Amino acid sequence: MKNSRLTLVLLVLCFALWGVVNNMSDNLVPAFQRIFTMDQSRAVLVQVSFYGAYAVLALFTSILVEEFSFRVGILLGLGVYVCGALLYIPACVQQRFDVYFIGIFVVAGGCAILEASSNSCMLALGDPKSAIRRLNFAQAMNPVGSIVGIFLAQKVILAHLNPATVEERMAMEPEVLKGIIHNELIWICVPYVGLCVLLLAIWVYFFRHPIHTSVEDGVDKGPIG
């Protein structure tokens, strides 16, 4: 019973987590536009990458859950997110937008897999009569996560952008500008990589504990491995 309650709590937390990531990623458009002194048409590729991942992986996730289990989908979603977020580190060191582009796609892919798997799992977790109620409650946490994402974007990412204009940046010495960009990119990494600690803790829990559902969906009966 204790594990079942913790499973429910962690699943609800997952609903909030992809709301956090969705709203942080939207704020990367103005951030990258200033940092890399690019026009909006190129900066908007951040959103193309993020939401494109959802479109590409939607069908894959449904097949994955159908063939394996909710838990495998959740583990894969969490793992893919962590891998994508860790790509932000070499992107920061190399100061390359294209590496961020790939990282954003991978992060969004992890969120897409996690979202589809968690929605299905929430419906199957417990009494079928209260399935819709459980799902509605979990989905109510998504806007809460969205608010947290907006807060993190404003206070952690955008608040640490240097106020220098494009013209002022172009007039700076290359080493000075490089230092400014490095500091700005570090603050982009902080919330994404910081979330990895929480996501890894959730991953370890689901790796070690089975998910008992009310339907026969091929869920593992014990720890994986």
Side-chain angles (χ1 to χ4, degrees):
M1 180 63 71
K2 182 179 180 180
N3 283 347
S4 297
R5 289 177 179 173
L6 185 54
T7 297
L8 181 62
V9 169
L10 293 179
L11 271 178
V12 170
L13 183 57
C14 287
F15 278 77
L17 284 172
W18 66 71
V20 173
V21 176
N22 285 347
N23 281 274
M24 281 201 303
S25 297
D26 285 340
N27 283 276
L28 291 181
V29 175
F32 284 138
Q33 193 173 354
R34 181 183 295 184
I35 294 169
F36 293 108
T37 58
M38 60 177 65
D39 57 34
Q40 188 173 9
S41 62
R42 189 179 177 208
V44 81
L45 289 175
V46 168
Q47 293 174 309
V48 172
S49 177
F50 191 90
Y51 294 107
Y54 268 81
V56 169
L57 291 171
L59 179 60
F60 166 77
T61 305
S62 63
I63 296 172
L64 175 73
V65 172
E66 196 174 298
E67 290 295 321
F68 296 97
S69 69
F70 301 131
R71 183 164 63 144
V72 170
I74 291 169
L75 287 171
L76 183 61
L78 291 169
V80 170
Y81 170 89
V82 169
C83 290
L86 292 178
L87 279 176
Y88 283 41
I89 297 174
C92 172
V93 173
Q94 300 174 29
Q95 298 188 3
R96 291 179 57 183
F97 175 73
D98 55 342
V99 180
Y100 273 111
F101 183 84
I102 296 170
I104 291 166
F105 183 89
V106 177
V107 165
C111 288
I113 297 171
L114 181 62
E115 183 171 347
S117 302
S118 297
N119 274 301
S120 301
C121 185
M122 187 60 71
L123 286 171
L125 190 68
D127 187 350
K129 294 181 181 179
S130 59
I132 300 301
R133 194 184 314 146
R134 285 194 306 275
L135 183 60
N136 288 340
F137 172 74
Q139 289 177 337
M141 295 299 104
N142 185 258
V144 174
S146 298
I147 293 171
V148 173
I150 293 172
F151 177 82
L152 289 175
Q154 294 292 328
K155 301 300 182 181
V156 179
I157 297 176
L158 299 180
H160 287 90
L161 294 182
N162 190 287
T165 64
V166 173
E167 293 75 17
E168 290 171 336
R169 288 172 183 254
M170 296 297 290
M172 291 178 181
E173 294 291 330
E175 288 303 315
V176 174
L177 180 58
K178 186 176 181 180
I180 289 174
I181 292 175
H182 180 71
N183 181 68
E184 292 172 327
L185 294 179
I186 284 177
W187 284 105
I188 286 179
C189 290
V190 166
Y192 286 93
V193 178
L195 282 175
C196 288
V197 177
L198 177 58
L199 291 169
L200 283 172
I202 298 173
W203 188 95
V204 169
Y205 174 83
F206 282 118
F207 182 82
R208 295 176 60 86
H209 298 88
I211 298 176
H212 301 288
T213 63
S214 59
V215 296
E216 293 296 328
D217 64 332
V219 174
D220 300 289
K221 302 301 181 182
I224 294 175

